[in-house]
Amino acid sequence: MTDVRREVPRTDVVLADPRLVAATGRLGRDRVKAAVLEAQGLARAGRLAPTAVSDAAVGMLPERASSLRPVLNATGIVLHTNLGRAPLTAAAVEAMAAASAYVDVEYDVTTGGRATRGRGTLAALLEAVPAAEAALVVNNGAAALVLTTTALAADREVVVSRGELVEIGDGFRLPDLIASTGARLREVGTTNRTSLSDYADAVGADTGCILKVHPSNFRVEGFTSSVDVADLSRLGVPVVADVGSGLLHPDSLLPDEPDVTTALTGGATVVTCSGDKLLGGPQAGLVFGSAAAVETVRRHPLARAVRVDKTTLAALEATLRGPKTLVQQSIRADPAALKMRAERLAVAVGGDVVPSEGAVGGGGAPGLTLPGWAVALPASYAERLRRGTPCVVGRVVRDRCLLDLRCIPESDDRRLQDAVLACMS
Ligand SMILES: *Cc1c(COP(=O)(O)O)cnc(C)c1O
């Protein structure tokens, strides 16, 4: 009797397969060995040909050690929170990779002593926003806001309009966030209208700051009024403006989107925003303002708990100093070029080329649509495309799956086409 078990290749022989040697570099020896042992077990049980052990082990292993799955974003929504908001430029990715080793993030190579953490990034921020005397980088926009209001108004009042008490997503509400560290909220005005006198009546000895929040994920229309930063800044207390999306200067394409520079020149003491929305960088929270106020924020004990790491600092600096961001490119994509690319895709995979309304998404420019084009396929494709490799996420509108090329770099058109063809066969 021939014993199939004797034909099962030895573990060290299988592990020498070049594909498994490469996988060991990516995934570590334990993980690769476990796959080999599992494949050998299948072979011993007669469920796998002994000659197929290496192939089976290779097939069991993931491409990389992280389970995060890269996605081709064919939704037409530029800042899709569930898809990780801003995609980074190659320049930012490169800077991040370089910074992931030992770096002089807080070290002065000339003196061999301590240096200001992230000083290159801070310099880039101040160059980008000359209206700011100082800047600080924290973990995200919510951290920037809570740290700033805590530092300026702990145990005192934060005066804020009722129309600006927003929920930023997944059940997190700004009022709860601000109150969580001890500042008290003093709500003024009504949901749709708040006047300067509402603020003036509320401001007193107990006021830590006035907070002006940009309602970035919804729009109130009709009978509305609000007070701008310039008027608030004349009430004699610090004004904190949370502009949200991280636009540093006014942008004619996004006329309703507040920007950091206008808020500062209007008289805001501190302006906060996110790094991974319209700024197009890594997840971060930015704090801009007067030297004294930013120093107060920086020295607050909570600042240490929301500090960013070296790779974030690197990616942020490269975003500010590097080439045009992918977010900018997607928002400004030429509709005629999008149509041509959609036509090319439709020729290859079938489907109709239809107009498609893209959006900024992710808490930026609500109500603004970005006119473009998409390839329309039957809705049943949506799930197959999501489950494919690469994973493609389209937008289902009524009974069709739209593939909008706005957020897909042109260099990925071929990969998208192949992914669609693969799920057709
Ligand atoms: C997005 C947003 C936040 C939260 O910022 P994160 O970076 O998501 O933490 C806070 N305020 C406003 C106005 C926003 O738009």
Side-chain angles (χ1 to χ4, degrees), residues 85 140-143 145 168 174 213-214 216 242-245 274 276-277 284 362-363:
R85 289 198 186 148
N140 59 13
L145 176 63
I168 52 180
L174 288 193
V213 181
H214 174 54
S216 53
D242 174 14
V243 298
S245 72
S274 296
D276 57 350
K277 292 182 179 172

Side-chain angles (χ1 to χ4, degrees), residues 62-373:
E63 235 176 278
R64 58 185 70 79
S66 159
S67 63
L68 287 176
R69 191 189 304 252
V71 166
L72 289 177
N73 174 10
T75 62
I77 299 162
V78 181
L79 298 170
H80 198 302
T81 299
N82 300 154
L83 298 182
R85 289 198 186 148
L88 297 178
T89 58
V93 172
E94 215 281 311
M96 221 168 176
S100 56
Y102 292 117
V103 280
D104 61 345
V105 62
E106 212 172 312
Y107 182 77
D108 185 332
V109 296
T110 34
T111 64
R114 196 180 169 283
T116 303
R117 186 179 173 83
R119 56 210 174 281
T121 309
L122 296 176
L125 284 167
L126 295 178
E127 268 172 53
V129 184
E133 288 175 9
L136 178 71
V137 185
V138 295
N139 186 51
N140 59 13
L145 176 63
V146 76
L147 175 63
T148 300
T149 51
T150 301
L152 299 184
D155 302 320
R156 291 195 294 160
E157 285 181 350
V158 177
V159 177
V160 61
S161 161
R162 286 206 168 82
E164 297 173 5
L165 294 172
V166 300
E167 179 172 310
I168 52 180
D170 196 24
F172 288 98
R173 297 176 167 176
L174 288 193
D176 301 338
L177 193 64
I178 294 161
S180 68
T181 55
R184 278 174 286 128
L185 271 189
R186 173 83 175 261
E187 301 173 23
V188 299
T190 61
T191 307
N192 56 334
R193 292 177 69 85
T194 303
S195 66
L196 185 58
S197 62
D198 292 325
Y199 285 99
D201 290 347
V203 166
D206 208 25
T207 305
C209 62
I210 294 175
L211 172 64
K212 175 87 185 155
V213 181
H214 174 54
S216 53
N217 49 10
F218 67 101
R219 250 184 7 181
V220 187
E221 291 185 28
F223 186 54
T224 66
S225 78
S226 62
V227 184
D228 62 25
V229 166
D231 289 326
L232 294 177
S233 69
R234 285 191 274 276
L235 293 175
V237 292
V239 174
V240 175
D242 174 14
V243 298
S245 72
L247 207 56
L248 302 182
H249 302 277
D251 184 335
S252 57
L253 195 68
L254 308 165
D256 297 331
E257 204 55 34
D259 66 281
V260 174
T261 297
T262 303
L264 285 171
T265 52
T269 317
V270 174
V271 180
T272 65
C273 64
S274 296
D276 57 350
K277 292 182 179 172
L278 287 171
L279 189 66
Q283 179 189 299
L286 310 182
V287 179
F288 294 93
S290 71
V294 172
E295 185 61 9
T296 302
V297 174
R298 195 179 72 81
R299 309 259 9 141
H300 191 278
L302 192 60
R304 184 60 177 78
V306 293
R307 188 172 92 165
V308 279
D309 81 316
K310 57 190 178 172
T311 59
T312 298
L313 290 166
L316 182 57
E317 183 177 356
T319 300
L320 293 161
R321 294 201 190 276
K324 197 162 164 186
T325 65
L326 300 179
V327 169
Q328 277 301 324
Q329 291 179 38
S330 294
I331 289 176
R332 297 193 132 71
D334 172 21
L338 291 174
K339 189 175 187 193
M340 257 171 49
R341 291 169 58 201
E343 280 165 350
R344 264 205 309 266
L345 178 62
V347 167
V349 306
D352 305 320
V353 173
V354 298
S356 170
E357 288 193 343
V360 173
L368 181 81
T369 57
L370 302 170
W373 297 87

Side-chain angles (χ1 to χ4, degrees), residues 369-396:
T369 57
L370 302 170
W373 297 87
V375 174
L377 298 171
S380 61
Y381 276 97
E383 186 185 341
R384 267 182 278 169
L385 284 164
R386 287 198 308 270
R387 289 170 174 274
T389 309
C391 167
V392 177
V393 179
R395 193 167 89 244
V396 177

